[in-house]
Amino acid sequence: MKNIVKNTLLVLATALVAWGMTACKQDPYKYEVTKGAPVIKYIITTDPAAADSVITEASTEAVICIVGENLRSTKKVFFNDLQAIINTSYVTANTMVISVPAAIPGAVSDKIYFHAENGTIVEFPFHVAVPGPKVVTTTCEWVKPGETGHIVGNYFVDDPNVPLQVIMPDGKNAEVAGFTQSTLDYIVPEGCTDPGLITIKTIYGSCQSNFVFNDNRNILIDWDGKGQSLAKGAGWRDGSKAYIGSDKAGIPALDGNYICFGPDKLGPGATDVWGEDPFSFNYWPSASGSPAPLDAFPEFAEILSKNDWKSLKMKFELYVPKSYAWNAAGLGVYLTDFATVSAEAAGNGFFTNAAFPRAYYQPWADNGAEFYTDQWITVTLPMSAFAYNQDGNGAGPITADYLKGLTMFVWGGGQTGTECTPAIAIDNIRIVP
């Protein structure tokens, strides 16, 4: 059998090359459907490392090779009740390379159906294995009891005998408020505030979230001063010149106090308004250790001892009300070293230093329309994002020395928008794996 399969792969490769050469000489889009019906012999994987074995099942989205005779007589292919896409570039008389549909079948027959040119339907036994659920992202990592969380991923499925479950870090089951194959809404149970991973279970398996619910790891500034975190910044603008509190522009508190930039005038250009007081805060530590650099905070120091700093991410929660939508300038996030700015050497010249790298969050420019959330969302900035100057051009990269101080300023980014009066609330600034 191994020799047969290996020979099949050789025939497949040769046939595809030959087809390509012929197509180049003739019509590259011409595909002739042959008469009669296909004959299916067996199916193999396209993975060369596992190509010695005939397979009888594959997961959704897997690429497989069907081996037989007269395969070009096939007009349609169905896996269970789902039609697959036939790419005629990968079909010869004896081989057909095809992807198993990504969707979950509604009616499972464990068969592939080949619809022939002459109307015949040829059946071949084959099992499509549906993977367990997986999580890609969430709208917000901090969701209050009674409120609805939103998860994006894949393979969320309910079954009468094995219902879809969302299990919170404290073991409580959350109510499933709605779902599709790729999205899942859940209502946080009353009293459920413990941080940790969420578990999702389906009939096909289970997974844990790739985010931490109520993530309280290494919070650097939360505007409340809980644990190691700070109630305000340090420097020319500690945040109080903007706003520190829990009730501004109709924005509900997420977890105690937050900072709010604005509402105040911005735009239309990225640097039209130099509103440093209403739109910025600084944390400029001292080289002498008081105030301490961020990378000396106990939780941060421990994270840095166990992880490559380049793999870390800055996260924070953000809220922009619709009544104060955002449509100009980017939120510049500056990680700073002592050589740039400190308590002893204060200054804002690095804003206009084209060689100084910073990250920009400007969702209105990405979406091409005014931006608002009307709910708290989680923003994630990988360390690789700290690589732009005030015009949005490349700068940097940063080094580990830049993990000393922090500034946020809604200014720059290089994009022209529309004059607006936004309110941008931020809470729970953290750097985590």
Side-chain angles (χ1 to χ4, degrees):
M1 176 60 76
K2 288 185 178 182
N3 289 334
I4 293 174
V5 173
K6 287 179 179 177
N7 289 338
T8 299
L9 290 174
L10 179 62
V11 169
L12 172 61
T14 303
L16 290 177
V17 171
W19 182 90
M21 293 175 64
T22 302
C24 289
K25 293 178 181 178
Q26 301 174 12
D27 183 354
Y29 302 105
K30 187 176 182 180
Y31 178 79
E32 297 291 343
V33 177
T34 57
K35 301 295 184 181
V39 176
I40 313 303
K41 293 184 176 180
Y42 54 87
I43 299 174
I44 59 175
T45 178
T46 56
D47 179 4
D52 284 346
S53 301
V54 169
I55 58 174
T56 58
E57 69 172 54
S59 297
T60 56
E61 300 183 88
V63 180
I64 62 175
C65 178
I66 298 162
V67 182
E69 297 175 359
N70 196 31
L71 296 182
R72 284 187 171 176
S73 65
T74 306
K75 297 182 69 175
K76 296 179 182 179
V77 176
F78 286 80
F79 289 78
N80 297 302
D81 59 347
L82 298 174
Q83 186 172 358
I85 296 174
I86 299 176
N87 186 335
T88 57
S89 298
Y90 299 107
V91 182
T92 71
N94 301 107
T95 57
M96 176 186 291
V97 176
I98 196 168
S99 295
V100 180
I104 298 172
V108 178
S109 61
D110 282 337
K111 291 181 180 180
I112 305 176
Y113 301 91
F114 298 84
H115 291 242
E117 177 276 337
N118 64 5
T120 302
I121 299 176
V122 176
E123 301 178 3
F124 192 82
F126 194 78
H127 176 67
V128 175
V130 178
K134 66 178 181 180
V135 174
V136 175
T137 188
T138 184
T139 301
C140 186
E141 295 181 356
W142 282 75
V143 187
K144 295 179 182 179
E147 295 184 351
T148 301
H150 181 74
I151 293 174
V152 177
N154 207 348
Y155 305 115
F156 302 133
V157 60
D158 193 34
D159 183 90
N161 298 314
V162 184
L164 173 63
Q165 286 183 282
V166 179
I167 304 171
M168 304 305 294
D170 61 1
K172 294 177 182 176
N173 276 276
E175 178 186 344
V176 176
F179 70 95
T180 66
Q181 181 177 320
S182 59
T183 63
L184 171 61
D185 292 333
Y186 65 97
I187 300 175
V188 178
E190 289 302 320
C192 184
T193 58
D194 289 357
L197 303 180
I198 294 174
T199 299
I200 300 172
K201 291 184 176 181
T202 74
I203 190 173
Y204 298 111
S206 66
C207 74
Q208 288 189 311
S209 60
N210 60 352
F211 64 90
V212 177
F213 174 78
N214 282 358
D215 188 2
N216 63 354
R217 300 170 298 162
N218 191 35
I219 294 181
L220 303 170
I221 306 177
D222 67 356
W223 316 108
D224 298 306
K226 298 191 296 286
Q228 72 164 13
S229 60
L230 301 172
K232 60 181 181 179
W236 288 354
R237 293 167 179 82
D238 62 10
S240 55
K241 289 183 179 181
Y243 171 83
I244 298 174
S246 58
D247 186 14
K248 182 75 167 179
I251 299 171
L254 172 69
D255 179 40
N257 290 334
Y258 54 75
I259 191 171
C260 185
F261 298 136
D264 210 331
K265 181 181 175 182
L266 272 183
T271 58
D272 286 353
V273 179
W274 190 269
E276 203 168 344
D277 280 351
F279 284 115
S280 76
F281 83 87
N282 316 124
Y283 181 70
W284 295 338
S286 169
S288 67
S290 181
L294 296 176
D295 57 5
F297 286 27
E299 291 182 54
F300 199 7
E302 183 177 1
I303 285 174
L304 290 171
S305 72
K306 296 178 180 178
N307 298 273
D308 179 357
W309 71 271
K310 294 180 182 178
S311 68
L312 303 180
K313 307 173 188 68
M314 175 179 285
K315 293 188 175 186
F316 51 86
E317 275 60 57
L318 178 141
Y319 193 119
V320 179
K322 184 176 182 180
S323 53
Y324 295 100
W326 179 15
N327 204 20
L331 171 60
V333 184
Y334 307 72
L335 289 169
T336 56
D337 59 351
F338 284 138
T340 299
V341 65
S342 66
E344 294 81 7
N348 58 12
F350 61 97
F351 291 156
T352 55
N353 181 352
F356 185 85
R358 79 288 313 258
Y360 273 107
Y361 179 68
Q362 40 191 352
W364 60 268
D366 296 336
N367 298 336
E370 66 175 18
F371 176 79
Y372 58 88
T373 63
D374 269 347
Q375 63 176 325
W376 286 97
I377 66 170
T378 298
V379 176
T380 301
L381 299 174
M383 291 296 106
S384 59
F386 291 82
Y388 301 93
N389 66 16
Q390 75 272 19
D391 297 321
N393 298 319
I398 64 170
T399 67
D401 291 335
Y402 285 71
L403 302 177
K404 308 293 184 186
L406 173 64
T407 289
M408 289 188 175
F409 182 20
V410 187
W411 176 87
Q415 301 292 322
T416 298
T418 302
E419 185 176 304
C420 56
T421 307
I424 304 167
I426 293 172
D427 202 359
N428 293 338
I429 302 169
R430 56 199 182 273
I431 297 179
V432 294

